[in-house]
Amino acid sequence: MLTTWVVAPTCLPLVVRRCHACASERFRADGKFRVNANHKLLDAWLLALCAACGATMKLTVLERAHVRSIRPELLDRLHGNDPALAAELLQDPVVRRRNRVALDWNNAWRLDTGGPVHLDGGVLDVSVRFTERIPVRPVRLIAEGCGLSRGEVERLGAERKLVSAVRLSGRRTGDFTFLLKR
């Protein structure tokens, strides 16, 4: 029987970038935007606060964009400080590359297994689905979902009792399936 596990965010991830005021490298984005107009050109930034000292960092969203080129619903979401827009923009690789930042997803996601997992001598067929592109180690997901240690999950993989079409080492951000025989 196929079981579906879901990896979902619980909050916005931390933004990794060095603070100009202190030695911290983590910023907390809470969905606040700043929009500045200069005649018919707009600039928009996503604001983030340093986790240690509270200094503000601006992540560029729009730079010298003509007012008519911006969709009205996007402009409304920027003015309304939409947290869902902040999550979308943090996931956007173009925005991250432009601002030279990375994301720290530690303690910002949860695994929903749909109930307790029973490993009593049977076969567990699981499909893991990601609602956002959250980089997580599959070994960690399997260990957390089945109530095992990571070492035991790796041992089961070495004994061919844990099989998957994808590589279970490293990090994944996309859906995958695995089969666990006990």
Side-chain angles (χ1 to χ4, degrees), residues 11-16 25-32 46-52 54-57 59 90:
C11 60
L12 291 176
L14 294 177
V15 178
V16 179
E25 293 188 350
R26 300 289 188 266
F27 285 82
R28 207 174 279 113
D30 59 356
K32 303 284 188 223
L46 172 61
L47 302 177
L49 299 175
C50 177
T56 303
M57 172 186 67
L59 298 171
L90 285 174

Side-chain angles (χ1 to χ4, degrees), residues 5 117 119 140-150 152-153:
W5 292 358
V117 177
L119 295 175
R140 179 178 177 189
L141 287 177
I142 296 167
E144 187 175 318
C146 296
L148 304 170
S149 69
R150 285 191 228 165
E152 189 170 353
V153 171

Side-chain angles (χ1 to χ4, degrees), residues 112-129:
D112 182 18
T113 60
V117 177
H118 302 289
L119 295 175
D120 46 340
V123 175
L124 182 65
D125 190 8
V126 177
S127 170
V128 180
R129 194 173 60 81

Side-chain angles (χ1 to χ4, degrees), residues 34-88:
R34 176 162 183 239
V35 180
N36 188 29
N38 184 7
H39 299 288
K40 293 183 180 184
L41 301 176
L42 286 179
D43 293 314
W45 300 278
L46 172 61
L47 302 177
L49 299 175
C50 177
C53 70
T56 303
M57 172 186 67
K58 299 187 294 187
L59 298 171
T60 303
V61 176
L62 298 173
E63 190 170 33
R64 297 291 180 210
H66 198 278
V67 174
R68 291 186 182 202
S69 69
I70 301 171
R71 297 184 326 268
E73 59 272 2
L74 174 62
L75 198 53
D76 289 341
R77 290 176 77 187
L78 287 169
H79 284 298
N81 292 323
D82 185 3
L85 178 62
E88 290 173 26

Side-chain angles (χ1 to χ4, degrees), residues 155-174:
R155 183 184 56 78
L156 289 170
E159 293 174 355
R160 297 282 193 212
K161 291 184 178 180
L162 172 65
V163 292
S164 178
V166 300
R167 189 173 53 113
L168 296 177
S169 61
R171 295 183 185 262
R172 295 219 24 105
T173 58

Side-chain angles (χ1 to χ4, degrees), residues 90-121:
L90 285 174
Q91 290 285 331
D92 188 358
V94 174
V95 171
R96 289 198 319 256
R97 192 172 30 256
R98 176 191 297 153
N99 292 286
R100 293 188 294 277
V101 297
L103 299 179
D104 179 6
W105 281 98
N106 288 339
N107 302 319
W109 59 271
R110 66 177 162 71
L111 176 64
D112 182 18
T113 60
V117 177
H118 302 289
L119 295 175
D120 46 340

